Amino acid sequence: MMNTKNRLFILALMCFASVFLASCEKDEDTADVSFVTTYPTIELTGEQWDAIMVGESYTDPGVEAFEGETPIEYTTTGSVDPNTPGAYVITYTATNSDGFSTSVRRYVGVITPEAAAIDLSGQYQRNAGALGVSTVIRLEPGLYQTNNIGGIGAPGPATTVNFFHPTVNNLVVPPQNVLGNEFAAVDATVIPGTSYSWSVVNPGYGTVLRTFVKL
């Protein structure tokens, strides 16, 4: 009959073997996996936000993509129709040797002469909720920025977005990254000199139409 000391020794040996085998399986499973990677970077050529007049030609200035200091290939999706007023998004994507990708977006507004002649800059107050004030500045004809997309009580960098004014009574707020948070707006319209309205697209905001009246 096996004594207690021998039984404990065999039990310890079996535990050691099981741990060793599990370790070997883990090493085999992860042998070809890279735990250190150099993520791709993309550098825009030209401006990220641009506006052209309807009918003007547009040439995509492209980007430069790198893995560390090594140039790599990238893909492009989206295009600009310079004959149709609106906002266009061009997305550039680069993938490194380990399969990790990064993307950068460029925004181009195609603006009618009638809209370009209007200056929407000024202060607007939301007519509901916190009655927050939105300060709108004109970056160039047809391209604007507001510091308060949702009309909250305390606006700032986290609520600042760019938008286009392509036609007299329409606005476009394309999807954009704001301090790591995605914002956009739909159903965006404007009565120049009076008010503008849109519904914010963001998980922290409802779908209600928000109207801002010029002060």
Side-chain angles (χ1 to χ4, degrees), residues 26-141:
K26 183 177 181 181
D27 288 343
E28 290 177 0
D29 291 342
T30 60
D32 297 324
V33 176
S34 174
F35 292 97
V36 177
T37 191
T38 301
Y39 288 95
T41 58
I42 298 177
E43 299 176 4
L44 283 166
T45 302
E47 299 296 329
Q48 184 176 26
W49 292 82
D50 197 9
I52 64 172
M53 296 299 103
V54 65
E56 290 183 353
S57 61
Y58 178 78
T59 301
D60 179 5
V63 300
E64 292 183 319
F66 300 91
E67 183 174 349
E69 297 182 357
T70 304
I72 58 176
E73 298 295 321
Y74 65 89
T75 60
T76 304
T77 57
S79 60
V80 176
D81 179 358
N83 297 311
T84 303
Y88 299 87
V89 181
I90 303 173
T91 303
Y92 310 94
T93 302
T95 304
N96 72 0
S97 55
D98 289 323
F100 292 93
S101 298
T102 189
S103 296
V104 172
R105 291 179 289 202
R106 187 191 305 277
Y107 304 89
V108 181
V110 178
I111 314 300
T112 62
E114 296 80 8
I118 300 170
D119 187 353
L120 300 178
S121 60
Q123 288 194 313
Y124 297 76
Q125 186 170 34
R126 190 183 171 203
N127 65 354
L131 303 178
V133 173
S134 162
T135 299
V136 174
I137 60 174
R138 191 190 204 199
L139 303 177
E140 60 180 284

